[in-house]
């Protein structure tokens, strides 16, 4: 049955893969050929068999036939679906960008839009009626709705009148028929049904039970129980990502397995047995789906959660069959899942728990109590099974994820169950709900601590090539570890040795040979899409300019450079890609002083920087215009912003960028210009005040965006230009035109996305560079 699931998946891949590997005609031909082969095999087997019944077929033939049928069924389902999408009037109206009216049913809670356009909300909905080009259609087309802020209070499940413009979805987006931009106040035609209102009350009670506790715990409890992560601090989310704990924030099969497990333990305690347990378990699943919303990811989690539960209660064989059935059914319902990363991870994690979990548990149980063996085996098995796919998606392998999941796992069950109980009990006795909620937030506090500590470790994630050979090697390594691993932990002595190896691997980061080079004066750290620059001053000391989008990367960069004290920290402006790594620098390095931009925009970013500096007791000032600062042989001067610059702008981030602190650094005979995200108006103003500015090294403004005063940039005469930019960023940075212009002006252009961290070394003949890649 496990094989049948795989076959079904193969069918889904055939039809749903990007670019559709096969056209409809070829698929039909394949279907006919496979059916003929199947019929031939069956009839021959039947003829040979004495009795004319299915049971006389050899086992492998039954399996092969079942596989074939599953694959064909998913193939056909995929074709039917693709056909329906192609004929969907909403999709065809969208391809013309048509203005439409009609009705839609809201299927997710409205969420504020992230980023600069923060005055609107987005939500998913199903269009049930659409009018455009003089015709009206009754449809059921899922769309993504972009709406004004007045839609923030529209409730899930309600039917709303729509008036707006349809647009095509992004390439490769198959779960949506179109994007819909609506305007005006929402007109609610029908309120949500009683079930939705009831779950809304429960969700509100859940939030109320933990409302008196500090963030992020009070946000994380509803996220764990019902996938309700509205208002989660992006830094905490990033720490969870870095430590492989993100699956806890979304509704996942693991959460449901834990909830159901606890429910069944309680039921057994009060004497429920046999069929009663099954009914109770199913009721639990239905309640969970209603509570966490019938989004596709929730339904998927529900199915996987049930399979996981089967593995815990009935052991491997039945659970493998269950997983095969689950995969086949899910793919029949939605063949596009075959190429969805979330689906692959969810199936692999469940498969890992089902296939590897028992072996690891039994090995550990030889010398550990069974409950502890299980608590270690389940997350280890899930992590191992997911490792190759996670590496393919992120280009990283994380040992810390294994350890973090091991440490967090014991707290997940109690936090989820207590949070849910708190919500239920709080409906009747709010004080008792708060009491339970408080204990739930203690458990969550432990998980937050694990994520926070884990994200700061030197080897939080190791880069892994996503080339085919590298991934095959990693898969082979994982398979060997998965099968031989249980032997490595089957005795107390071996277990202890494995522990030591793991701890050393997590805590000790292998040095990069030759890094940092002797005589480095500037290092642009590879922190992804964002800035983090380090200027050498005296041994162990440095000036840091910006701290990147997350603490882990800048922390590792400073550790590699041997920087223990940051005499001066300059934050050029308050965008997340420049300030969100702050805790890594404030937390573990002595910081003398912080200089910031005078424009406190965006307000959230500025507020949290001011709060963090105050909490760390570090003095913070606006960067003094024309102010100079000296340490060792390094001298720096603030060139921008001038005191008269306006502090407000169009509010789309331009004003904040243009108020970036610009520094001229002089060290070892080199002149370096560090420009933050300075935009053309600021660049032009700088050109007016300092017409003769010439430098050796340029930090290219705004990650190499195409929006530059190219005449000024190329006129600086830099021989080395460094672009701080993340791989595959969504902004198209750096612009090829900017790179080309700098190169033709005689600069050597280095990029942190392809070169890794970049060190500039002062030499006899000017600047030279060394990179980590
Ligand atoms: Zn930036």
């Amino acid at each position: 049955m496990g094989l049948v699931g795989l076959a079904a998946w193969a069918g889904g891949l055939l039809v749903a893969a990007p670019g559709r590997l096969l056209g409809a005609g070829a698929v039909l031909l394949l279907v006919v050929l496979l059916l003929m082969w199947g019929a031939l095999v069956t009839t021959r087997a039947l003829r040979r068999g004495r009795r004319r019944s299915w049971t006389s077929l050899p086992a492998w033939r039954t399996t092969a036939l079942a596989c074939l049928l599953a694959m064909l069924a998913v193939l056909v389902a995929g074709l039917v679906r693709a056909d329906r999408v192609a004929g969907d009037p909403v999709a065809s109206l969208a391809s013309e960008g048509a203005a439409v009216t009609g009705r839609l049913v809201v299927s997710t809670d409205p969420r504020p839009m992230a980023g600069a356009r923060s005055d609107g909300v987005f939500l998913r909905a199903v269009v049930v009626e659409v009018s455009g080009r003089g015709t009206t259609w009754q449809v059921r087309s899922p769309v993504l709705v972009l709406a004004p802020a007045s839609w923030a209070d529209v409730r899930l499940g309600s039917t709303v009148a729509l008036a707006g413009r349809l647009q095509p979805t992004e390439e490769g987006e198959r779960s949506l028929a179109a994007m819909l931009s609506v305007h005006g106040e929402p007109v609610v035609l029908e309120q949500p049904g009683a079930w939705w209102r009831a779950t809304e009350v429960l969700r509100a009670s859940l939030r109320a039970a933990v409302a008196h506790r500090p963030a992020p715990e009070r946000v994380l409890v509803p996220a764990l129980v019902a996938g309700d992560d509205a208002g989660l601090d992006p830094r905490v989310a990033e720490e969870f990502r870095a430590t492989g704990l993100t699956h806890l924030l979304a509704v996942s099969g693991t959460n449901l397995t834990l909830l159901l497990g606890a429910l069944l333990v309680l039921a057994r305690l009060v004497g429920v047995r046999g069929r009663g347990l099954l009914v109770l378990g199913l009721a639990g699943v239905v309640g969970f789906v209603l509570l966490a919303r019938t989004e596709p990811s929730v339904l998927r989690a529900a199915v996987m959660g049930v399979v996981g539960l089967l593995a815990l209660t009935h052991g491997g064989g039945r659970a493998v069959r269950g997983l095969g059935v689950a995969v086949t059914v899910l793919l029949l319902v939605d063949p596009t899942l075959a190429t969805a990363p979330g689906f692959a991870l969810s199936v692999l994690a469940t498969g890992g728990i089902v296939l590897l979990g028992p072996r690891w548990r039994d090995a550990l149980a030889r010398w550990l109590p069974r409950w502890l063996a299980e608590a270690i085996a389940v997350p280890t098995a899930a992590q191992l099974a997911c490792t190759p796919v996670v590496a393919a998606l992120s280009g990283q392998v994380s040992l810390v994820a294994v350890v973090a999941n091991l440490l967090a796992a014991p707290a997940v069950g109690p936090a989820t169950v207590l949070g849910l109980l708190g919500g239920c009990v709080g409906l009747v006795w709010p004080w008792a709900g708060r009491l339970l909620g408080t204990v739930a937030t203690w458990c969550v506090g432990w998980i937050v601590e694990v994520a926070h500590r884990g994200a700061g470790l030197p080897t939080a994630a190791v880069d892994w090539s996503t080339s085919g050979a590298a991934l095959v090697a990693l898969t082979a390594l994982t398979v060997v570890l998965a099968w031989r691993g249980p032997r490595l932990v089957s005795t107390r002595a071996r277990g202890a040795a494995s522990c030591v190896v793991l701890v050393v691997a997590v805590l000790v980061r292998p040095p990069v040979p030759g890094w940092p080079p002797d005589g480095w004066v500037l290092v642009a750290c590879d922190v992804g899409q964002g800035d983090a620059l380090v200027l050498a001053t005296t041994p162990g000391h440095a000036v840091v300019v910006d701290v990147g989008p997350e603490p882990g990367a800048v922390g590792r960069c400073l550790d590699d450079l041997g920087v223990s004290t940051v005499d001066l920290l300059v934050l050029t402006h308050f965008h997340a890609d420049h300030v969100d790594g702050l805790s890594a620098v404030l937390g573990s390095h002595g910081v003398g002083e912080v200089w910031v931009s005078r424009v406190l925009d965006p307000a959230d970013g500025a507020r949290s920087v001011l709060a963090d500096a105050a909490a760390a007791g570090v003095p913070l000032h606006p960067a003094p215009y024309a102010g100079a600062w000296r340490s060792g042989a390094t001298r720096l001067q603030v060139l921008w912003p001038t005191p008269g610059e306006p502090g407000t702008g169009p509010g789309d981030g331009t004003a904040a960028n243009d108020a970036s602190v610009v520094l001229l650094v002089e060290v070892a005979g080199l002149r370096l210009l560090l420009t933050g995200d300075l935009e053309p108006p600021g660049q032009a103003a700088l050109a007016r005040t300092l017409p003769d500015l010439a430098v050796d090294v340029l930090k290219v403004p705004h990650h190499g965006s195409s929006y530059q005063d190219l005449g000024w940039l190329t006129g600086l005469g830099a021989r080395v230009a460094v672009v701080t930019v993340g791989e595959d960023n969504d902004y198209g940075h750096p612009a090829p035109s900017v790179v080309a212009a700098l190169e033709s002006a005689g600069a050597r252009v280095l990029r942190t996305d392809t070169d890794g961290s970049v060190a500039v070394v002062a030499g006899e003949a000017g600047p030279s560079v060394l990179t980590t890649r």
Side-chain angles (χ1 to χ4, degrees):
M1 205 55 222
L3 284 176
V4 173
L6 282 179
W9 203 343
L13 280 177
L14 274 181
V15 74
R20 300 269 297 280
L21 295 175
L22 300 163
V27 170
L28 264 179
L29 188 68
L30 190 73
V31 167
V32 172
L33 285 176
L34 286 174
L35 272 177
M36 281 167 63
W37 180 73
L40 206 69
V41 168
T42 320
T43 43
R44 279 174 66 184
L46 286 175
R47 238 178 253 151
R48 242 183 267 144
R50 291 280 155 84
R51 284 172 301 138
R52 293 195 153 229
S53 82
W54 279 95
T55 48
S56 66
L57 276 175
W60 72 267
R61 284 198 176 141
T62 324
T63 313
L65 260 179
C67 286
L68 236 163
L69 284 175
M71 191 163 128
L72 286 180
V74 172
L75 249 170
V76 170
L79 283 177
V80 167
R81 187 190 164 93
D83 202 48
R84 206 177 59 213
V85 169
D88 186 342
V90 169
S92 69
L93 286 168
S95 65
E96 302 161 15
V100 293
T101 57
R103 291 182 296 128
L104 56 80
V105 179
V106 177
S107 52
T108 65
D109 291 304
R111 290 279 178 86
M113 271 186 246
R117 286 160 61 193
S118 54
D119 50 343
V121 297
F122 68 92
L123 51 101
R124 279 179 180 243
V126 175
V127 173
V128 290
E129 185 189 286
V130 63
S131 303
R133 294 185 313 206
T135 318
T136 298
W137 291 272
Q138 307 295 323
V139 290
R140 282 200 64 78
S141 308
V143 293
L144 183 71
V145 182
L146 310 178
S150 56
W151 282 59
D153 298 325
V154 172
R155 286 156 65 198
L156 181 116
S158 39
T159 308
V160 187
L162 75 86
R165 189 169 289 279
L166 286 169
Q167 270 151 2
T169 53
E170 277 174 38
E171 195 68 44
E173 167 61 78
R174 283 181 220 79
S175 64
L176 293 172
M179 308 246 284
L180 172 66
S181 305
V182 294
H183 40 75
E185 301 277 311
V187 179
V188 177
L189 304 172
E190 210 178 305
Q191 289 293 341
W195 273 113
W196 288 124
R197 287 203 299 278
T199 61
E200 197 52 56
V201 170
L202 184 54
R203 281 167 81 110
S205 171
L206 188 61
R207 287 191 291 268
V210 292
H212 61 290
R213 302 286 300 156
E217 284 87 343
R218 70 158 177 266
V219 183
L220 281 167
V221 171
L224 267 181
V225 179
D228 177 6
D229 67 345
L232 183 66
D233 186 340
R235 282 190 220 182
V236 177
E238 174 54 37
E239 287 173 356
F240 272 64
R241 195 199 60 73
T243 46
L245 292 171
T246 305
H247 61 95
L248 297 178
L249 301 179
V251 169
S252 70
T254 323
N255 299 17
L256 182 61
T257 306
L258 291 165
L259 258 181
L260 289 178
L263 195 67
L264 296 191
V265 167
L266 279 177
R268 282 208 186 96
L269 278 180
V270 297
V272 184
R273 289 287 179 276
R275 195 152 289 182
L277 283 176
L278 189 70
V279 171
L280 196 70
L282 287 177
V285 174
V286 172
F288 170 82
V289 169
L290 285 173
L291 182 68
R293 307 304 158 81
T294 52
E295 291 176 33
S297 63
V298 175
L299 293 173
R300 203 169 66 211
V303 174
M304 290 303 156
V306 172
V307 173
L309 188 69
L310 216 56
L312 292 181
T313 52
H314 287 80
R318 192 170 296 191
V320 172
R321 287 195 289 279
L323 183 61
V325 171
V327 168
T328 312
V329 169
L330 284 171
L331 285 168
L332 281 174
V333 173
D334 182 0
T336 60
L337 282 177
T339 50
F343 179 73
L345 289 177
S346 159
V347 172
L348 284 171
T350 311
I353 292 172
V354 166
L355 288 171
L356 309 175
R359 283 169 50 92
W360 282 79
R361 180 195 58 203
D362 296 344
L364 287 162
R366 288 188 196 171
W367 55 282
L368 280 176
R370 195 180 160 87
W371 64 268
L372 187 57
E374 189 141 312
I376 295 174
V378 167
T380 307
Q383 281 292 317
L384 269 175
C386 290
T387 298
V389 172
V390 170
L393 292 173
S394 68
Q396 289 182 329
V397 173
S398 173
L399 269 178
V400 174
V402 177
V403 179
N405 273 284
L406 280 177
L407 291 174
V412 175
T416 314
V417 173
L418 289 171
L420 182 63
L421 271 180
C424 295
V425 173
L427 290 171
V428 190
W429 302 294
W431 61 269
R434 277 199 297 277
L435 193 69
L436 288 164
T438 303
V439 184
T441 54
W442 290 343
C443 301
V444 166
W446 166 249
I447 303 173
V448 172
E449 193 62 25
V450 167
H452 181 66
R453 299 280 157 142
L457 286 175
T459 51
V462 178
D463 287 336
W464 193 276
S465 160
T466 51
S467 71
L471 290 176
V472 167
L474 182 63
T475 309
L477 200 71
T478 314
V479 169
V480 169
L481 195 62
W483 286 106
R484 305 303 294 177
R487 284 180 61 91
L488 294 177
V489 294
S490 59
T491 67
R492 192 182 300 260
R494 286 186 196 161
S498 304
C499 257
V500 170
V501 170
L502 193 60
V503 167
V504 168
V506 163
L507 292 181
V508 180
R509 186 165 141 87
V512 179
W515 185 266
D518 285 337
W520 67 276
V521 293
L522 168 75
V523 166
C525 300
D526 175 15
V527 292
Q529 179 72 11
D531 273 19
L533 310 169
V534 186
L535 291 160
T537 54
T538 53
H541 291 238
V543 171
V544 173
V545 181
D546 289 335
V547 289
E550 50 100 9
V554 68
R556 286 190 288 279
C557 185
L558 289 174
D559 288 346
D560 287 351
L561 295 173
V563 172
S564 57
T565 307
V566 176
D567 302 322
L568 173 67
L569 171 63
V570 182
L571 299 173
T572 60
H573 64 295
F574 294 102
H575 280 154
D577 57 327
H578 298 254
V579 300
D580 273 3
L582 186 57
S583 63
V585 182
L586 285 181
S588 46
H589 299 81
V591 177
E593 196 174 328
V594 183
W595 287 1
V596 296
S597 170
R598 269 186 298 105
V599 174
L600 302 184
D601 179 36
D604 285 351
R607 209 176 299 128
S608 74
V609 165
L610 301 190
D612 289 354
V618 179
L620 178 144
H621 313 286
Y625 175 65
W629 197 92
R630 177 186 282 279
S631 174
T634 306
R635 181 179 181 279
L636 59 89
Q637 192 180 8
V638 178
L639 300 188
W640 183 265
T642 52
E645 280 309 301
T648 55
D652 57 1
T654 312
N657 282 343
D658 225 5
S660 290
V661 177
V662 176
L663 299 172
L664 178 65
V665 183
E666 288 169 296
V667 57
L670 291 181
R671 287 157 66 84
L672 295 68
L673 188 67
L674 312 183
T675 54
D677 283 359
L678 193 68
E679 305 244 355
Q683 297 174 9
L686 207 51
R688 280 195 300 278
T689 46
L690 291 168
D692 302 324
L693 186 62
V695 298
D696 303 292
V697 178
L698 169 69
K699 201 294 294 189
V700 179
H702 201 181
H703 322 288
S705 141
S706 62
Y707 198 42
Q708 306 279 0
D709 186 335
L710 276 185
W712 176 72
L713 271 195
T714 51
L716 291 167
R719 280 176 283 174
V720 171
V722 183
V723 184
T724 46
V725 63
E727 263 172 284
D728 301 325
N729 65 79
D730 300 334
Y731 311 96
H733 294 164
S737 58
V738 175
V739 174
L742 286 164
E743 278 174 346
S744 62
R748 180 170 172 203
V749 179
L750 295 126
R751 318 166 33 160
T752 54
D753 58 343
T754 51
D755 296 312
S757 294
V758 177
V760 174
V761 181
E764 295 281 305
S768 61
V769 291
L770 191 101
T771 64
T772 50
R773 266 187 229 167

